[in-house]
Amino acid sequence: MTDSLTVRDNRTGNEYELPLTDGTIRAADLGGIRTGDDDPGVAVYDPGFTNTASCRSSITYIDGDKGILEYRGYPIEQLAESSTYLEVAYLLIHGELPDKSQYETWEHQITYHTFVHENVKSFMQGFRYDAHPMGMLLASVGALSTFYPESRNISDPSNRHMQMVRLIAKMPTLGAWAFRHGQGKPYVYPDNELSYAANFLAMLFKMSEQKFLADERLTKALEILFILHADHEQNCSTNAVRSVGSSQVDPYSATTAGIAALYGPLHGGANEAVLRMLRRIGSIDNVPDFITGVKNGDERLMGFGHRVYKNYDPRATIIKRACDDVFAVTGVNPLLEIAVELEKIALEDEYFVSRKLYPNVDFYSGLIYEALSFPPEMFTVLFAIPRTAGWLAQWRELVDDKDQKIARPKQIYTGERTLDFTPREQRWG
Ligand code: SDX
């Protein structure tokens, strides 16, 4: 038995042998199935790419049925338990865990690139007082591309490395400044004596004290959340980074595309939507009516469902556990009771069971973010910051992949053809 498909075209009676590689056929091979010379050949119609592989990747492995997530082969549970975000970022980008000297160099480089040009600060101060921080982050990262024009030279590995260091280093600064902008507070500069997560918390919450040191349990919880959000194979925002990156644009512009995609409520914006949903439900007494609304199609249970996970999202399990650690410091978030009741009912209800809808990474993360004093509009920023390492790892793999070319899908044209233009005088009467 050979690894191939035999396809019979019933329009012509012709048969075609299509090689199977890693469970896929090359769409280009379908193009050879034609009824005649003027037939462009068979193509694949797959809105949302529900069953299309866009690349070969060795970065992240997901088994949606078994609820498995691994970064470069390491189970997420072990990385969340024992690693740091910067070590995971190194692993995703370089493909292996760093040795002592590699880690110290990496950490030093990131730490000493946390500052941004003062013009970026004045650029951010130009936003309205109530600008959504994701809109500010989106625009500021795009603006960074103008400060490092050499980043367009994407074929130079050392240049690529420098720009990836800058992006990972500066995202917390930009994210914190977007938060401070909305609070009407002065922007806080990075403190290079602090760890990545501790420095981020200091830039967010420092006021008149000489040095802001967050509770270590909160810093640890944020580190775990950053690790869990670092990458997730070919999700919507990574697909955006790869698609934009395929035009050979600089990594700042490609990352901006990822931020824009993550902003949407069906993707990274879901954590903000979950909090607003829980607040709107208001009490566990209202949960049954809300569930009825979901089943009638009037509501969507935000934080539930996933294109790949048809089982519990392993990240949700870890985040739910992290809730306990955070609430031990901050006090239990009263919305937790509603979230737990929603999950309990949904996991027993045929509507959700039949659609294999389980809590995803966004369902519980918002409860922690709120307990850490973040407003809901900051939640997706807290997703974008750690996901930057994943986006850049995927972007680097794309740039090095000889199989890749500029993204330019086909379409099925459904519009009019060869109409004659009628001059305005005749059309306007
Ligand atoms: C992230 O891809 C990734 O890896 C993303 C991510 C990452 O780390 O990058 O994991 C992060 O984006 C997590 C997902 C966060 N989004 C949400 O929580 C928003 C709510 N969830 C959905 O809108 C939905 O589940 C998606 C967008 C996540 C997945 O959508 P799909 O795969 O396109 O599935 P679908 O919309 O076709 O739904 C299948 C069925 C439909 O019912 P029917 O039309 O067959 O009757 O399930 C229903 C949907 O209506 N459904 C839901 C639902 N999610 C799907 N019904 C109610 N509530 C939901 N949350």
Side-chain angles (χ1 to χ4, degrees), residues 245-270:
S246 73
S247 72
Q248 296 186 358
V249 77
D250 68 270
Y252 299 93
S253 304
T255 301
T256 301
I259 297 170
L262 194 72
Y263 197 175
L266 292 187
H267 191 12

Side-chain angles (χ1 to χ4, degrees), residues 232 235-236 265-268 270 294 300-307 315 351-352 355 357 360-362 383 387:
H232 212 241
N235 57 83
C236 179
L266 292 187
H267 191 12
V294 171
R300 182 148 279 232
L301 182 50
M302 301 311 277
F304 258 69
H306 200 279
R307 175 64 57 75
R315 300 168 297 176
Y351 175 92
F352 299 93
R355 290 170 175 79
L357 301 178
N360 58 48
V361 67
D362 292 310
F383 193 147
R387 183 54 59 91

Side-chain angles (χ1 to χ4, degrees), residues 272-287:
E272 175 180 351
V274 167
L275 233 289
R276 298 189 190 285
M277 173 187 76
L278 294 174
R279 283 182 178 166
R280 197 154 50 83
I281 294 171
S283 126
I284 59 169
D285 301 336
N286 301 331
V287 167

Side-chain angles (χ1 to χ4, degrees), residues 28 39 46 52 69 72-73 77 107 110 128 137-138 156 174 218-219 230 236 263 266 305 311 313 334 390 413 421 425:
D39 177 351
D46 186 11
T52 294
L69 169 58
R72 298 287 188 180
E77 294 79 4
E107 187 178 42
I110 301 254
R128 252 174 70 106
L137 186 67
L138 174 62
D156 172 2
L174 299 177
L218 303 185
T219 306
C236 179
Y263 197 175
L266 292 187
N311 197 322
D313 183 332
Y413 180 68
F421 180 76
E425 302 69 52

Side-chain angles (χ1 to χ4, degrees), residues 128-150:
R128 252 174 70 106
Y129 65 93
D130 61 352
H132 195 291
M134 274 300 277
M136 292 182 69
L137 186 67
L138 174 62
S140 311
V141 172
L144 277 187
S145 69
T146 66
F147 288 84
Y148 307 105
E150 71 280 10

